[in-house]
Amino acid sequence: MTSSERTHASIDPALRPETLAVHPPRVEVTGSVPLGVPLHQGHVFAFESADALADSFHSADSFLYSRMGNPTVRTLEDAVARLEGGAGALSFASGMGAINAVLFGLLSGGGHVVAQRCLYGGTYAVLTDLAKRWGVEVTYVSGTDPAEVAAALRPATRLLYLETIANPTTRLSDIPALAAVAREAGVPVAVDNTFASPLLCRPLALGADLVIHSATKFLGGHADILGGIVVGDDPELLGRLRHFAVEMGASTDPFAAWLTLRGMQTLSLRMERHCASAAELAARLSGHPAVAAVRYPGLPGHPDREIAERLLPDGAGGVISLDLAGGRDAGRAFVEAVRLASLSVSLGDVKTLVMHPASTSHRQLDAAALEAAGIGPGTVRLSVGIEHVEDLWGDLDQALAKAL
Ligand SMILES: *Cc1c(COP(=O)(O)O)cnc(C)c1O
């Protein structure tokens, strides 16, 4: 038997049923290409020779074992890298997997990070853990003041960590101004771009070195996968993260990658609708008697309106946060009164989701800690889906009537 027959040729149909059941015939596609992305669910690949198998350990382009690389997952990595304008990407089992790869890949004991104050809760928790267990020091900054970043940098600083749009305050970070300060000092800049998606903002072009996504949110978009991606423009830096990623093992399941790719085909249409509906609802909410304040970067009164005009010219995203005039009780009443919107923690989904941080995700925080995080007792976060905007307004309006 030749080596090619060993891995590729059809199995002798005269073999016994027990054997045939384990070795189905292989259907090769010739003369046409599948328009949909093929799903390579298998985790391990067979080789024609011992040398080919040995060589593949040293090649990023061949596939051996799916924790180290898989064709469907690689398709997702390449697709997001192209959207973000990066040289390459690494895919993970969740957004937190991606965040951990960046933090653990770049930091070691005694290192220092400068991070934006209002961070995704999971990221804040990892930084707090790193500080306790490994002596990593963290300086928190506002995200809008380059002089504050310049003052925070130290010789031991290994990373500046930002988010394009912060949760749930919807404050923006001035990526180009802050990245310029860090780059000048030779400090890599990572930006969590989950809230903007690559359709609204491409941080690499603004001076970032790494872009992070929770693909669970807008990229996937359909509440059916967990995923995370890191995109970079420096192959050396990506290589360091890849090394750590393979060891960490938070690899993407090929089916999750396949579903993410399927979701991404409509990303531009979804983002257009998320942004248009969020802008319309933010404007209507601003005039409602039950609402004390609306925070949406597309609204004229937003504190970072000038940054929004520079960094988010194609839309200010799908997430609105609002303060209900009636405080905590009104917030709770509102999220329980919506019918079309779902009371749910995630965001970036085709369905509209609402949540009340003070009674759910941030319930451990006392009044002072809530205020420091920019969250009021009556703050509600709204992730605007792609339903018809008038149906959404009908739902919000009836729920607001119960929160007066
Ligand atoms: C959800 C989220 C994450 C974490 O992503 P998972 O996929 O849930 O692990 C990180 N950053 C932001 C901004 C998020 O919204």
Side-chain angles (χ1 to χ4, degrees):
M1 184 185 274
T2 69
S3 58
S4 159
E5 277 168 340
R6 179 156 56 238
T7 55
H8 296 308
S10 55
I11 292 287
D12 179 356
L15 290 169
R16 292 168 182 78
E18 290 82 347
T19 306
L20 293 177
V22 181
H23 296 272
R26 197 168 286 268
V27 176
E28 304 286 353
V29 179
T30 53
S32 64
V33 288
L35 213 47
V37 175
L39 171 57
H40 294 273
Q41 185 65 33
H43 81 284
V44 71
F45 297 80
F47 290 80
E48 294 187 1
S49 72
D51 283 347
L53 196 161
D55 290 347
S56 84
F57 274 98
H58 309 290
S59 159
D61 296 326
S62 68
F63 299 102
L64 162 75
Y65 187 75
S66 283
R67 177 156 48 75
M68 302 164 183
N70 169 283
T72 307
V73 176
R74 181 68 52 79
T75 306
L76 173 63
E77 292 171 335
D78 291 351
V80 180
R82 281 192 191 173
L83 286 182
E84 286 286 1
L90 299 169
S91 179
F92 296 87
S94 68
M96 286 311 298
I99 289 165
N100 274 295
V102 169
L103 296 179
F104 281 80
L106 299 186
L107 299 171
S108 42
H112 176 244
V113 192
V114 180
Q116 191 180 305
R117 191 167 292 112
C118 194
L119 280 181
Y120 177 70
T123 310
Y124 180 79
V126 177
L127 286 175
T128 305
D129 235 35
L130 283 169
K132 269 199 223 135
R133 303 179 58 194
W134 306 110
V136 168
E137 294 195 56
V138 191
T139 306
Y140 290 100
V141 296
S142 72
T144 52
D145 182 2
E148 195 187 8
V149 172
L153 293 175
R154 306 177 191 168
T157 308
R158 294 288 170 269
L159 178 65
L160 170 63
Y161 191 98
L162 306 172
E163 293 181 2
T164 316
I165 304 174
N167 172 39
T169 59
T170 77
R171 291 297 303 261
L172 306 184
S173 60
D174 192 345
I175 300 167
L178 305 193
V181 173
R183 285 191 97 115
E184 174 92 27
V187 171
V189 182
V191 177
D192 183 332
N193 197 32
T194 299
F195 271 54
S197 92
L199 266 291
L200 302 183
C201 183
R202 281 172 292 282
L204 295 178
L206 303 174
D209 299 279
L210 297 168
V211 178
I212 298 166
H213 283 282
S214 166
T216 313
K217 315 294 169 52
F218 289 104
L219 293 179
H222 295 76
D224 50 14
I225 54 107
L226 281 170
I229 304 263
V230 179
V231 183
D233 55 6
D234 174 5
E236 192 275 329
L237 188 60
L238 278 173
R240 276 158 64 194
L241 299 187
R242 183 180 292 281
H243 181 80
F244 179 76
V246 170
E247 290 176 357
M248 178 170 72
S251 333
T252 310
D253 177 73
F255 187 49
W258 187 85
L259 283 171
T260 308
L261 282 160
R262 182 181 161 124
M264 278 171 52
Q265 294 179 66
T266 54
L267 180 63
S268 70
L269 303 177
R270 287 186 282 113
M271 291 316 293
E272 243 178 77
R273 176 68 72 84
H274 286 303
C275 291
S277 296
E280 178 62 30
L281 295 176
R284 293 191 195 183
L285 287 164
S286 302
H288 197 285
V291 177
V294 178
R295 283 175 296 271
Y296 180 66
L299 278 182
H302 190 277
D304 304 320
R305 185 72 194 125
E306 181 275 326
I307 302 176
E309 276 165 6
R310 275 189 288 127
L311 303 195
L312 302 171
D314 298 324
V319 178
I320 302 172
S321 105
L322 50 134
D323 284 340
L324 294 176
R328 181 182 282 263
D329 290 344
R332 210 187 152 94
F334 173 78
V335 297
E336 288 182 349
V338 292
R339 290 290 165 259
L340 185 56
S342 307
L343 174 50
S344 189
V345 292
S346 195
L347 64 109
D349 192 65
V350 290
K351 296 181 175 68
T352 295
L353 312 176
V354 296
M355 73 146 186
H356 178 224
S359 67
T360 56
S361 59
H362 294 67
R363 68 189 177 285
Q364 301 92 338
L365 278 63
D366 60 21
L370 276 177
E371 197 183 323
I375 301 166
T379 297
V380 166
R381 190 184 76 189
L382 192 60
S383 173
V384 178
I386 64 167
E387 302 95 334
H388 196 288
V389 70
E390 296 301 342
D391 290 337
L392 287 177
W393 178 247
D395 189 37
L396 299 182
D397 195 37
Q398 67 80 26
L400 285 172
K402 300 190 174 101
L404 267 168

